[in-house]
Amino acid sequence: VMTQSPDTLAVSPGETATINCQSSQSVLHSSDNKNYLSWYQQKSGQVPKLLIKWASTRESGVPDRFSGSGSGTDFTLTISSLQAEDVAVYYCQQYYKTPTFGQGTKVEIK
Amino acid sequence: QVQLQESGPGLVKPSGTLSLTCDVSGGSITSNKWWSWVRQPPGKGLEWIAEISHSGSTNYNPSLRGRVTISVDKSKNQFSLKLNSVTAADTAVYYCAREYDSDGYYGYFDCWGQGTLVTVSS
């Protein structure tokens, strides 16, 4: 089970948004020492977009204000210097076992 | 650049079968090992349904196993989903997605179709 917090987050433009994701079991694979954890952004009415893979590797074309961190069971997506275009719902996903997503965190502009 | 496009009926009757197809364009379906279906009920989160390899190997979400069948047609460069005995709870936007091959494990989804809304109603 993937649990995200908070459910909703209101941040002023230019400030930092921090989203947490906790897995009920470790997603760190001993065979390759990689965390099988990704992050997606879904803007209203749009398709989910891959932001981060392997917990901290930014997908090509994703602005560097998006960063992922964490290992094992606890992970964080950080959006530095939040912009209006970052308003969206963000999901974490583990692919260590049968893929599951967190319930989503809605990021709003304060 | 690979693009995915879902197609199928937008309305299915309760107890009926939901059938969707995902057309892969801009590249061969054999260029990637795994292809998946993900769904999202209106206003809710994402749920992975199933995956298939281009050689026909399959894996299913245990919560849906028994009702779901995924298949691939390499000659048509497409893969398909069938979900039977549907109820209102199966009403959702259904996405097809390309899944990164983690060398034998599950992967992340790096390319998505636009999604198609399927409503289960009489």
Side-chain angles (χ1 to χ4, degrees), chain A residues 35-56:
Chain A
N35 287 284
Y36 282 48
L37 189 286
S38 57
W39 289 95
Y40 300 84
Q41 175 193 64
Q42 186 176 33
K43 296 182 179 180
S44 179
Q46 295 188 18
V47 177
K49 173 187 175 183
L50 177 67
L51 295 177
I52 303 283
K53 56 200 178 188
W54 306 119
S56 60

Side-chain angles (χ1 to χ4, degrees), chain B residues 19-95:
Chain B
S19 297
L20 296 173
T21 296
C22 180
D23 287 304
V24 179
S25 60
S28 171
I29 199 168
T30 59
S31 67
N32 195 72
K33 186 169 183 181
W34 293 98
W35 303 88
S36 276
W37 287 96
V38 177
R39 71 179 181 178
Q40 184 172 37
K44 296 188 178 180
L46 300 161
E47 179 183 33
W48 176 77
I49 301 171
E51 66 177 6
I52 190 164
S53 73
H54 57 69
S55 62
S57 298
T58 59
N59 289 296
Y60 296 100
N61 188 323
S63 69
L64 295 169
R65 189 173 291 149
R67 292 203 295 136
V68 180
T69 304
I70 190 171
S71 59
V72 65
D73 189 333
K74 287 188 287 186
S75 67
K76 294 182 178 179
N77 224 36
Q78 64 183 203
F79 61 105
S80 299
L81 176 75
K82 288 188 186 298
L83 178 66
N84 56 36
S85 304
V86 297
T87 69
D90 295 309
T91 293
V93 174
Y94 286 76
Y95 296 100

Side-chain angles (χ1 to χ4, degrees), chain A residues 76-103:
Chain A
T76 300
L77 175 69
T78 302
I79 311 172
S80 304
S81 189
L82 189 82
Q83 300 185 9
E85 66 198 52
D86 300 331
V87 168
V89 178
Y90 293 84
Y91 295 94
C92 60
Q93 176 227 339
Q94 65 78 21
Y95 43 101
Y96 182 86
K97 291 190 175 181
T98 302
T100 52
F101 295 85
Q103 81 277 17

Side-chain angles (χ1 to χ4, degrees), chain A residues 3-66:
Chain A
T3 304
Q4 292 181 225
S5 62
D7 288 333
T8 304
L9 183 60
V11 178
S12 300
E15 296 299 305
T16 297
T18 301
I19 302 169
N20 300 302
C21 175
Q22 185 171 60
S23 175
S24 57
Q25 63 181 103
S26 176
V27 300
L28 176 62
H29 225 293
S30 57
S31 63
D32 55 13
N33 204 37
K34 286 183 174 181
N35 287 284
Y36 282 48
L37 189 286
S38 57
W39 289 95
Y40 300 84
Q41 175 193 64
Q42 186 176 33
K43 296 182 179 180
S44 179
Q46 295 188 18
V47 177
K49 173 187 175 183
L50 177 67
L51 295 177
I52 303 283
K53 56 200 178 188
W54 306 119
S56 60
T57 302
R58 205 177 299 116
E59 181 71 343
S60 176
V62 173
D64 59 8
R65 64 179 180 275
F66 291 91

